[in-house]
Amino acid sequence: MELIFGLLFVLISLIFLVRWRYNYWRNLDVPFIAATFPFGNIKGMGKKYSQFELLKDVYDKFKHNSSPIVGLYYYLSPVIMVKDMELAKNIFTRDSVHFIDRGAYYNEKDNPISAHIFNLDNPKWKTLRTKLTPTFTSGKIKMMFYTVYDVAERFVNKLKSEVDVAVDGEIEIKEFAGRFTTDVIGSVGFGLEINSLDNPTTEFRVHGINAFEKPNHSTLINIFSVAFKDLARKLHVIQVRKDIEEFFQGIVSQTVKHREDNGIVRNDFMQLMIQLKNHGKLDGETLTVGKLTMDEITAQCFIFFAAGYETSSTAMSYLLYEFANNQQVQEKARQSVRQVLAKYDNKLTYEGIKEMDYLLMCVNESLRKYPPVHTLLRYCNKDYKVENTNCTIKKGQLVIIPAYAIQHDQEYFPNPEVYDPDRFLPEEVAKRPTCAFMPFGHGPRNCIGLRFGIVQAQIGLAMLLMNFKFETCSKTVNPIEFKKFSTIMLSPIGGINLKVSKI
Ligand code: HEM
Ligand SMILES: *[C@@H]1O[C@H](CO)[C@@H](O)[C@H](O)[C@H]1NC(C)=O
Ligand SMILES: *[C@@H]1O[C@H](CO)[C@@H](O)[C@H](O)[C@H]1NC(C)=O
Ligand SMILES: CC(=O)N[C@H]1CO[C@H](CO)[C@@H](O)[C@@H]1O
């Protein structure tokens, strides 16, 4: 009898607890989507639809509601979706002290490789960010130019021989773009000749693919660990697969040992890591951060590799897809590359790259239509009153900025499904809020590799345009369909199939 009463009491309390949770947004008078236990608003996410599709639906539904935010529930956790551009700007920049963490999940103890700069919270994030920023100064990027150029030449040659053997010239171009950026980051980041262009099954490439294609857990478990970090850590949930962790631990320790034993000094990311490991500071600096451990530098190497290769290669592939669908744009971009080359003795140079205005507009327009990172995240670490509302974002709440939805908003980008590089003419850019375009995020927590990512893509694209013509073919999926399982990356199902011919 007592047992039954006890159980009944627990059950009734649970029901009240859940109802009380799911009234959170109603009580604050914030527009929201009604939730069901236990998933809240994310039932089926990762299988039936992707996170960006949910957010786009919600964004469009509440577009004309005057509230700058919409309330959602991820499981029992209230999360905030930002809808207003002014608020987004303030969260990214002016009030970024409240939102300096990303709120991603990592587990330093069971999965040290997940404790990298993309995931880390303060104060560790801040010291690391300051230390890693010198990796991408203009001087360093200029030095990387030639390395990227060499790999791009191999890329073009490889594609030429593939075109010769491919049936009707049909090629899955994302695979080759991925090998190109893998070889680039291996070289500029690690000083390693990976040559995945010729050896697609090389371990580096395979682990790189697996890091994105075969996550250790389902979307719903990944979101669970973001919503309930402490619990997930207690349950030993890991984010990065163990085989990938072990591979990177091996490769980084071998590389470090090889350099230290042979006194090899290179001007690359690995060298900065070695300095931070041995001295806790960079050469010529006075500020010391405490020496980084081998595990800590491995994690940073991993994220530079992962963030550097996948985003840039998908960005290039989406643009080639739009070139295939818009032949005049492709021809105009080719002309703009040709003109700049002519000016520089028919050589591709670092200076020349920066003058290819039309190509840059094409790159940005494809980053708009297909942001490789479709959803941006911030985590509130200090209560924040939202202007013009009665709502305070509480410490510990997750803030979502739906990049894909905003970049497809008619108000900022009329006929958003139309690919039109002229949207990036200076006078057009001036007409909309800066934050409406956010492929690299904004503010102190934006993409650290922004400029390098663009330069790398541009070199590859300029060389491709000079050597090939891209067209759609029977295998081209139009419009592109996207994978559903990935929580933040926008990735095409089956890659991007195009007809490629030499010119
Ligand atoms: C087209 C290429 C790229 C795109 C579209 C891209 C996009 C992004 C985005 C959207 C973020 C989150 C920004 C935010 O929350 O405000 C980010 C962060 C980051 N990206 Fe990139 N990225 C690209 C290339 C690169 C490259 C080449 C590297 C390094 C080699 C890199 C390294 C990082 C790192 C380390 C972070 C975390 C920064 C932090 O939290 O302090 N990315 N990127
Ligand atoms: C393209 O976007 C990048 C990143 O937001 C920006 O720095 C650059 O000025 C843009 N270029 C053009 C031509 O719009
Ligand atoms: C905030 O609450 C006050 C008092 O309940 C109300 O008068 C006011 O309209 C509310 N403001 C907004 C923006 O909802
Ligand atoms: C493939 C893989 O690495 N699976 C791992 C996923 O995470 C759990 C722990 O959270 C491991 O036990 C699995 O081995």
Side-chain angles (χ1 to χ4, degrees):
M1 206 55 185
E2 276 160 20
L3 186 70
I4 291 177
F5 270 115
L7 282 178
L8 214 58
F9 177 75
V10 170
L11 193 68
I12 291 171
S13 317
L14 269 179
I15 291 173
F16 272 94
L17 179 80
V18 168
R19 294 192 94 187
W20 168 76
R21 277 308 258 187
Y22 284 163
N23 273 323
Y24 184 87
W25 294 120
R26 188 193 307 271
N27 294 340
L28 281 174
D29 219 9
V30 167
F32 65 97
I33 304 279
T36 50
F37 182 78
F39 295 106
N41 302 126
I42 60 173
K43 188 168 179 228
M45 187 190 283
K47 290 241 155 63
K48 296 206 178 84
Y49 57 88
S50 168
Q51 170 161 252
F52 82 89
E53 292 170 297
L54 167 74
L55 297 173
K56 182 166 181 356
D57 284 350
V58 176
Y59 182 91
D60 291 345
K61 182 166 175 217
F62 289 95
K63 172 68 187 167
H64 298 292
N65 185 299
S66 63
S67 169
I69 57 175
V70 178
L72 292 169
Y73 299 96
Y74 280 17
Y75 295 97
L76 286 169
S77 229
V79 302
I80 296 105
M81 188 192 87
V82 177
K83 194 176 131 261
D84 174 68
M85 283 304 100
E86 191 63 24
L87 178 61
K89 191 174 83 189
N90 293 340
I91 287 175
F92 280 135
T93 53
R94 192 190 73 186
D95 303 323
S96 63
V97 287
H98 295 259
F99 302 99
I100 206 71
D101 291 338
R102 179 165 284 123
Y105 176 71
Y106 60 97
N107 182 341
E108 194 153 13
K109 223 165 100 235
D110 300 303
N111 193 202
I113 203 171
S114 66
H116 52 64
I117 181 171
F118 187 92
N119 286 347
L120 275 177
D121 294 322
N122 274 292
K124 278 198 168 170
W125 169 78
K126 179 120 193 124
T127 36
L128 256 180
R129 174 90 187 199
T130 319
K131 291 292 157 191
L132 299 188
T133 300
T135 321
F136 294 112
T137 56
S138 322
K140 291 240 170 60
I141 294 181
K142 198 171 166 181
M143 271 188 306
M144 295 172 192
F145 178 89
Y146 298 98
T147 315
V148 182
Y149 180 85
D150 288 344
V151 182
E153 272 194 322
R154 286 201 290 115
F155 181 20
V156 166
N157 291 334
K158 180 71 196 172
L159 208 53
K160 279 184 178 160
S161 55
E162 287 293 318
V163 168
D164 288 338
V165 296
V167 181
D168 297 329
E170 294 187 2
I171 285 184
E172 199 283 273
I173 197 72
K174 182 169 175 283
E175 166 64 23
F176 289 95
R179 293 194 211 163
F180 164 62
T181 56
T182 297
D183 286 2
V184 167
I185 204 81
S187 187
V188 303
F190 297 74
L192 298 175
E193 262 325 306
I194 294 174
N195 198 9
S196 69
L197 275 164
D198 292 318
N199 311 302
T201 54
T202 185
E203 272 193 291
F204 234 101
R205 171 79 183 136
V206 171
H207 287 296
I209 295 176
N210 287 347
F212 292 96
E213 299 291 311
K214 297 186 181 155
N216 191 49
H217 294 295
S218 69
T219 310
L220 285 180
I221 293 184
N222 286 332
I223 292 199
F224 174 87
S225 17
V226 170
F228 304 100
K229 294 192 179 63
D230 293 337
L231 180 59
R233 283 181 190 126
K234 286 206 183 79
L235 295 171
H236 308 287
V237 175
I238 68 167
Q239 190 208 34
V240 182
R241 289 159 53 108
K242 279 284 163 195
D243 53 344
I244 297 179
E245 181 168 79
E246 280 156 20
F247 172 72
F248 273 90
Q249 283 167 340
I251 207 99
V252 173
S253 69
Q254 280 162 29
T255 309
V256 169
K257 186 169 180 320
H258 176 71
R259 289 197 186 185
E260 289 183 339
D261 289 354
N262 298 290
I264 297 170
V265 175
R266 292 181 53 133
N267 205 330
D268 61 7
F269 180 67
M270 190 62 88
Q271 202 59 43
L272 294 179
M273 289 294 108
I274 294 175
Q275 289 169 21
L276 294 180
K277 176 178 77 71
N278 293 342
H279 313 298
K281 66 182 179 71
L282 301 180
D283 293 350
E285 280 194 337
T286 45
L287 189 69
T288 311
V289 280
K291 295 177 187 172
L292 297 190
T293 63
M294 204 62 192
D295 270 344
E296 285 171 329
I297 72 171
T298 303
Q300 313 321 317
C301 288
F302 167 70
I303 194 59
F304 268 49
F305 170 69
Y309 110 82
E310 173 73 5
T311 47
S312 302
S313 65
T314 47
M316 289 172 69
S317 310
Y318 290 134
L319 177 50
L320 294 173
Y321 165 85
E322 288 296 346
F323 278 161
N325 276 300
N326 300 275
Q327 290 294 323
Q328 320 87 300
V329 173
Q330 179 178 164
E331 195 44 44
K332 195 170 167 190
R334 188 172 289 118
Q335 287 309 332
S336 93
V337 173
R338 248 190 217 126
Q339 275 168 14
V340 174
L341 288 186
K343 193 177 149 192
Y344 289 93
D345 202 17
N346 279 323
K347 288 200 181 70
L348 196 62
T349 57
Y350 179 67
E351 289 68 32
I353 282 286
K354 289 192 284 192
E355 292 173 28
M356 295 175 183
D357 294 338
Y358 190 70
L359 182 60
L360 273 169
M361 286 161 59
C362 293
V363 171
N364 279 4
E365 173 64 350
S366 68
L367 290 171
R368 182 213 44 102
K369 205 172 160 193
Y370 313 104
V373 179
H374 58 60
T375 302
L376 300 181
L377 299 174
R378 292 293 185 272
Y379 177 86
C380 177
N381 45 24
K382 200 168 142 204
D383 286 6
Y384 180 76
K385 164 97 170 58
V386 182
E387 275 168 25
N388 307 320
T389 69
N390 285 329
C391 173
T392 294
I393 301 177
K394 294 272 194 247
K395 181 177 156 115
Q397 286 176 342
L398 198 64
V399 177
I400 298 179
I401 302 100
Y404 183 93
I406 293 167
Q407 294 184 177
H408 288 250
D409 181 338
Q410 308 243 24
E411 183 185 345
Y412 313 123
F413 303 99
N415 300 319
E417 297 315 317
V418 173
Y419 179 80
D420 177 11
D422 288 348
R423 296 183 203 270
F424 287 89
L425 286 168
E427 61 269 27
E428 294 298 318
V429 173
K431 285 183 194 160
R432 57 181 181 251
T434 336
C435 274
F437 179 61
M438 54 176 102
F440 298 97
H442 286 286
R445 194 109 202 198
N446 74 347
C447 176
I448 200 170
L450 182 166
R451 285 194 303 152
F452 178 70
I454 292 186
V455 167
Q456 162 176 251
Q458 257 191 301
I459 296 172
L461 289 162
M463 304 266 287
L464 290 178
L465 281 172
M466 296 322 295
N467 289 282
F468 304 97
K469 180 177 177 187
F470 298 89
E471 290 164 288
T472 55
C473 64
S474 57
K475 284 196 212 141
T476 311
V477 179
N478 210 337
I480 302 175
E481 287 169 18
F482 302 103
K483 291 178 186 159
K484 312 226 178 282
F485 70 81
S486 172
T487 37
I488 61 166
M489 305 294 290
L490 189 70
S491 186
I493 295 175
I496 300 283
N497 289 281
L498 299 175
K499 176 174 158 58
V500 185
S501 35
K502 291 192 255 183
I503 51 172

